[in-house]
Amino acid sequence: MRLLVIEDERELAGLIRAAMEQAGFTADHAATALAAASYLGATSYDAAILDLGLPDSDGFLLLRQLRRRNTTLPVLILTARDAPEDRVTGLDSGADDYLIKPFHMPELIARIRALLRRPNAALGIRLVLGNLVLDTVSRQTLIAGAKTHLTLRETTMLELLLRDQGRVVFREVLENRLYSFDSELGSNALEVLIHRLRRRLQESGASLTIHTVRGIGYLLSESS
Amino acid sequence: MLLPTPPREWSLASRLAWRMSLLMFGAIALAAAAVAWGSISTLQDLDDAGLQQQVHIVAANLPPQDTPFALPPAITKPFQDSDGDNVFIVYGPDRARLATSDAAQAAEAEIFLPRSFRQGFFRIPVLAGHKHGMVGFALPVGRRWVIVLQGREQSSVITASLMSSFMAGAVWLLMPIGFAAMMVSVLTLRRGLRPILRVSATAATVGAQPGVRLPLAGLPREVTPLVEAVNEALTRLEQIIATQRRFMAEAAHGLRTPLAVLTARLDSLQAPQAEALRRDADRMARLVSQLLSMARLESLPLTVTCQVDLREAAVEAITTLAPIAVQRGIELALLGPESPMPIQGNHDALVLALTNLIENALNHAPRGTAVEVIGSVPATISVRDAGPGIPPAEIPRLLQPFQRGAATVQGGAGLGLAIVSRIAAAHAGTINAKTGPEGGCVFTLTFPVPAI
């Protein structure tokens, strides 16, 4: 996994690179938009971390140029600006995520991992959290190294929650992905499924918890 | 900066209509007066000439004697036929009456005649049967005097009839013209001012997005200076706002970059004190973030004219804070209707306000309890925690910047609720805090419902 860190603040860039490499990524650093463009042209990256305030150009411009070339390179914007208009511009110009400075390194790593887990990302066959591993191709779930039997729906539910681990997944999203339009959907079908999945995870000794955010959705995190 | 408002609004059109009608009535009155004046003086001239002629006819036919005599009927008859309107009297040298056309009239008029005659006109103010008085002419013939009197009614009757026929004509002619003139002016005014309504409609959209200028096309020359001045003022305001925005962005960058370096460095630190240092850095980062939010709210206008969904804002705020709630073992829930709660406002500001309220609740809620966000129709949203609650006396103070409650947790800057309060005010909404039914604290934001 190769990342490009586009950040003019050298010290911060150095710290990000170090943290990324410790997390198992390879990271290059570009301090200007010009350097970033030549790096991106020279080799292919799996994701980019882009600071908006570059000395030679606005980060938005670089992002727009990138998107015009029709690349699906996942881009996480790193910025000190949090004015509403900046946020809108960032998501309009095709950023995949947005993190406001200052940020914690584990958060940045988690976000980058989430970007790489996206279905359109090249890799990400194995989804990992705590002692659980889900192979998205073979649909196999391993908990603490032991094969665990989950139904098709339970596996899909787990996959959806794993792809967005640590974040709220909306009920509507889960319902849409789990049930076809014609299937009779009871008002508490989702609750029943979650309940079953929770029991299975608990029985198998998984170190994860599915938290309910009542009225909104569910959040999967490592048990504390 | 604001001009004092006039005591009452007035309409240019109705003012013009009023003045036009006043002018029209004035013009009719003036024309009537001119006609009356003209006809009266003409009639008088005619009468005066007639009077002299009559005197000369009488004088020419006087017999030579100084004793009473009778004039031939050819002369007397017309006087007698005038029914007392025209009278002649001839006086001898000792002012003895020698002849008259009407003895009774003559006797009555005699007392009003001048004591000594002088050739020329004179007036008799009132006389029985002549309430407008009479005009007389005296002419000496040798030692005798010929006097002819004529009633004033004749001229006034003629004048009155002339006036009434003139008024009839003038009113029928002038009134419609005047009315038409008035309508034309009012309509011209209305039409001429219609572009101003268009300008007002554009002016109402100022603020939604920059670069809005009032259209000059179709405006009358009289109001273009105002509109141009407003446009220039808008340009200046936008420049000020742009400068302010740039300053805020630079301040944010300047403050956050070193904090980001510090946080990143602390995250890579394995020392036992690292955790405490990370908390300190987080606290500073939070303070900076709130200061920047507060400064932005104070120095930049908040656009609150978009259609936004209050429920969606709540969902976004809850989604952002859910990981923190999970970390702290607090359940986060959204209660209330699942339908949208549309209001006019600013989505990001509402998310910020709700984020601050929920963060505040998370800071006070004990582990294992729930923080509930409750929407209620049409546009009210509450955040309820199961914390210790706040004494009612502290509530107004808490909504001021840098004020912290007695129960404040370590790290609070005292800006969160002040920010919420500003955002509520910018939306013409209210913030209310009270102790919940089962203890704890309930903060409620209420927004005006958009007119349907």
Side-chain angles (χ1 to χ4, degrees), chain A residues 27 35-36 38 77 124 129 135 137 144 148 152 158 186 196:
Chain A
S38 71
I77 282 184
L129 183 66
D135 190 308
V137 178
T148 308
L152 218 61
L158 188 61
R196 269 207 321 259

Side-chain angles (χ1 to χ4, degrees), chain B residues 14-367:
Chain B
S14 68
R15 186 173 278 195
L16 185 72
W18 269 110
R19 295 195 170 173
M20 288 285 294
S21 14
L22 275 179
L23 181 73
M24 196 181 66
F25 281 117
I28 291 178
L30 206 67
V35 167
W37 181 260
S39 57
I40 286 168
S41 58
T42 314
L43 279 171
Q44 249 163 15
D45 288 350
L46 280 171
D47 284 353
D48 295 351
L51 214 55
Q52 288 188 55
Q53 208 178 356
Q54 287 168 36
V55 168
H56 282 108
I57 291 169
V58 174
N61 291 287
L62 289 186
Q65 73 224 50
D66 276 356
T67 52
F69 53 82
L71 284 170
I75 292 163
T76 322
K77 191 103 184 359
F79 282 95
Q80 284 164 345
D81 287 351
S82 76
D83 204 15
D85 262 0
N86 289 56
V87 182
F88 72 79
I89 314 170
V90 182
Y91 289 105
D94 51 353
R95 200 159 172 157
R97 200 195 307 153
L98 299 181
T100 179
S101 59
D102 185 333
Q105 280 268 330
E108 212 178 313
E110 221 145 50
I111 41 172
F112 296 109
L113 294 179
R115 273 165 207 283
S116 57
F117 293 121
R118 258 188 300 142
Q119 182 175 341
F121 291 99
F122 60 88
R123 253 169 218 286
I124 294 175
V126 240
L127 206 60
H130 295 281
K131 65 174 191 290
H132 296 285
M134 296 186 98
V135 186
F137 194 85
L139 182 73
V141 181
R143 293 167 57 215
R144 293 172 301 181
W145 287 88
V146 176
I147 310 293
V148 172
L149 296 170
Q150 192 179 43
R152 296 279 293 156
E153 280 87 352
Q154 283 182 339
S155 60
S156 46
V157 165
I158 292 167
T159 307
S161 91
L162 260 174
M163 277 303 286
S164 70
S165 74
F166 163 77
M167 284 307 278
V171 166
W172 287 120
L173 202 69
L174 283 182
M175 284 291 265
I177 291 174
F179 186 71
M182 198 171 83
M183 291 307 289
V184 165
S185 343
V186 169
L187 285 178
T188 308
L189 199 66
R190 283 255 170 91
R191 264 192 106 80
L193 294 184
R194 197 171 296 162
I196 291 180
L197 293 180
R198 213 174 51 232
V199 171
S200 310
T202 312
T205 69
V206 169
Q209 44 195 203
V212 173
R213 291 292 177 273
L214 307 183
L216 280 165
L219 278 182
R221 201 167 49 226
E222 288 81 351
V223 289
T224 43
L226 173 65
V227 175
E228 276 167 357
V230 168
N231 279 342
E232 279 160 25
L234 283 176
T235 306
R236 283 196 297 276
L237 274 177
E238 272 177 14
Q239 279 164 354
I240 290 169
I241 291 171
T243 310
Q244 198 56 249
R245 254 188 235 291
R246 218 165 23 246
F247 174 77
M248 290 303 307
E250 273 158 25
H253 187 259
L255 287 165
R256 281 185 169 138
T257 305
L259 270 173
V261 176
L262 178 65
T263 305
R265 212 186 286 287
L266 288 174
D267 281 341
S268 67
L269 212 64
Q270 296 297 322
Q273 301 95 334
E275 192 50 42
L277 290 174
R278 274 197 281 273
R279 269 204 303 279
D280 291 345
D282 285 351
R283 187 173 156 184
M284 225 142 89
R286 203 175 135 63
L287 175 63
V288 162
S289 171
Q290 289 197 327
L291 272 174
L292 287 171
S293 295
M294 195 71 190
R296 198 178 302 116
L297 282 171
E298 297 276 285
S299 65
L300 288 170
L302 190 65
T303 308
V304 291
T305 48
C306 300
Q307 278 294 322
V308 296
D309 179 6
L310 209 48
R311 193 179 184 277
E312 203 183 299
V315 169
E316 196 174 322
I318 293 172
T319 311
T320 312
L321 292 173
I324 296 171
V326 164
Q327 233 174 54
R328 297 192 189 170
I330 298 165
E331 195 201 332
L332 208 47
L334 175 63
L335 312 178
E338 288 196 13
S339 50
M341 295 166 65
I343 64 162
Q344 276 224 326
N346 182 306
H347 176 78
D348 289 302
L350 290 170
V351 172
L352 178 63
L354 286 167
T355 305
N356 278 344
L357 280 185
I358 298 168
E359 268 183 337
N360 184 62
L362 289 175
N363 285 342
H364 292 96
R367 186 171 266 274

Side-chain angles (χ1 to χ4, degrees), chain A residues 6 8 30-37 51-59 61-62:
Chain A
I6 308 158
D8 66 320
T32 61
L34 200 70
D51 176 36
L52 284 185
L54 296 173
D56 57 338
S57 164
D58 194 295
L61 282 174
L62 184 67

Side-chain angles (χ1 to χ4, degrees), chain A residues 9 11-12 15 80 82-85 87 100-106 166 168 170 211-216 219 221, chain B residues 245 252-253 256-257 260-261 263-265 267 282 285 296 311 315 318-319 322-323 326 331-335 348 372:
Chain A
E9 175 63 43
E11 259 182 287
L12 187 59
L15 287 160
D82 69 340
E85 63 270 16
R87 222 172 296 190
I100 289 169
K101 291 182 190 173
F103 54 91
H104 281 291
M105 221 41 100
V168 178
F170 294 121
H211 301 273
T212 308
V213 184
R214 257 191 293 156
I216 297 182
L219 182 151
S221 74
Chain B
R245 254 188 235 291
H253 187 259
R256 281 185 169 138
T257 305
V261 176
T263 305
R265 212 186 286 287
D267 281 341
D282 285 351
R296 198 178 302 116
R311 193 179 184 277
V315 169
I318 293 172
T319 311
V326 164
E331 195 201 332
L332 208 47
L334 175 63
L335 312 178
D348 289 302
E372 293 172 324

Side-chain angles (χ1 to χ4, degrees), chain A residues 71-128:
Chain A
T71 47
T72 51
L73 176 76
V75 173
L76 182 141
I77 282 184
L78 213 54
T79 180
R81 308 180 202 161
D82 69 340
E85 63 270 16
D86 291 330
R87 222 172 296 190
V88 172
T89 323
L91 296 176
D92 282 352
S93 35
D96 298 275
D97 206 353
Y98 209 98
L99 200 57
I100 289 169
K101 291 182 190 173
F103 54 91
H104 281 291
M105 221 41 100
E107 172 79 8
L108 178 64
I109 294 166
R111 299 259 191 137
I112 290 292
R113 286 214 170 112
L115 286 185
L116 295 172
R117 275 196 303 268
R118 293 255 165 109
N120 64 346
L123 292 163
I125 293 162
R126 279 156 51 89
L127 299 171
V128 184

